[in-house]
Every structure is written in C-alpha cells, then in structure tokens.
Amino acid sequence: MKEVWILTLKSIQRDQDEKSTSELITEARYHMDENGDRVISYDESETTGMEGSRMELRISPDNMVSVIRTGTFQTHLVVQPGRKHFCHYETPFGEIPVGVAARWVRAALTDEGGHLEMRYTVDTNSTLLSDNEIILDIRRDSNQEE
C-alpha cells in the first residue's frame, strides 16, 4: 500500500486589477526520486476545474520547480530563481506560449514532508498575465492505517 499524504495548497493570483485566492486540501503522493528531486503529485478535480488531469511538482535540490500537468490539459512550467523559462500552458480554449520568471522559491522539504513557497510571474509576448504565489504544505495522513 502506498503511503498517503495530505497536501494543502494555497494559490494567490494577482493581475492588474484583482487578487484572487484559492485553497485546496487533497490526498497526494510524495517521495524523493533517483535524482534527489522531491516529487509531489495529486489528481485534479472538479474543484480546480481541471478534472481528468494529474499535477506533479518536481522540486530539485537547487530549488528549481517543474510544474507538470498531464491528462486532459497538458502543461509544463519551470519556476527557477534567476532565470526566465518559456513554456506552454494548455487551457480549455487552446495552448498559450508563456514566459515564467521566479521572484523566489523557498523549499524546506524532508522525508517527513514540509513546506514550499514560490512567487513567479507569467507573461505572454512580454505582457504580464499574472503574478502568482503558491504556499504548499505536505504531511503524512495521520488517519492512514499502517
């Protein structure tokens, strides 16, 4: 039986006129892969509007975060301090080429779980789409039978 973890993810999105906040609490999978990356994955649901997709966050030891969505909508964003990455973001309305630039990434993850915070901007054709902040906590499910 795979170990079950509880993921709490708070997302803050700012654009020129508005700020919106959402929070998700869901079961997740968490482990370290053979490259030393911490991997957090969970299934999207109706709540996120991306039902039928799976999210995976890969956090490298140098705090580069790959955000990979597979399934109904495919996305691969790279959030890395000091670099801008050009990525593709798939939506129900089509694919958008975007630039992703990290303001900061702070990770404190161990085998026992932990915390990740990151703030990054997303633009298309050098026009700011949003300023995003993610605050994530991952912990073992204390209700899981051993």
Side-chain angles (χ1 to χ4, degrees):
M1 179 168 114
K2 286 220 174 219
E3 189 170 28
V4 176
W5 295 77
I6 300 298
L7 171 70
T8 303
L9 188 142
K10 181 178 180 181
S11 174
I12 303 165
Q13 189 173 49
R14 300 168 183 89
D15 61 26
Q16 282 112 4
D17 303 321
E18 295 182 19
K19 174 181 171 183
S20 63
T21 302
S22 62
E23 188 165 338
L24 173 69
I25 300 172
T26 190
E27 288 186 354
R29 290 156 298 284
Y30 174 67
H31 69 277
M32 182 188 296
D33 73 7
E34 64 280 352
N35 298 318
D37 292 350
R38 298 284 174 176
V39 180
I40 301 168
S41 60
Y42 63 95
D43 294 325
E44 296 275 16
S45 67
E46 270 183 47
T47 307
T48 63
M50 299 286 182
E51 190 173 17
S53 296
R54 171 174 281 208
M55 271 304 243
E56 180 178 276
L57 289 91
R58 300 184 77 76
I59 304 97
S60 70
D62 65 351
N63 286 350
M64 181 177 80
V65 180
S66 293
V67 181
I68 304 160
R69 180 181 290 125
T70 56
T72 307
F73 302 104
Q74 313 249 343
T75 300
H76 187 170
L77 303 179
V78 179
V79 181
Q80 182 179 20
R83 290 201 52 202
K84 182 174 185 175
H85 289 269
F86 295 94
C87 310
H88 290 276
Y89 191 86
E90 194 172 306
T91 73
F93 310 104
E95 191 174 293
I96 303 169
V98 296
V100 179
R103 291 182 180 220
W104 41 260
V105 174
R106 300 178 188 127
L109 296 165
T110 69
D111 291 343
E112 302 304 311
H115 189 78
L116 170 71
E117 292 184 26
M118 59 183 175
R119 187 161 179 187
Y120 60 96
T121 59
V122 176
D123 68 68
T124 187
N125 295 327
S126 298
T127 300
L128 180 67
L129 293 177
S130 63
D131 181 349
N132 306 279
E133 187 171 351
I134 303 291
I135 302 163
L136 176 151
D137 286 293
I138 186 86
R139 62 178 169 76
R140 281 191 176 88
D141 183 355
S142 59
N143 296 320
Q144 182 178 336
E145 293 183 23
E146 301 204 20

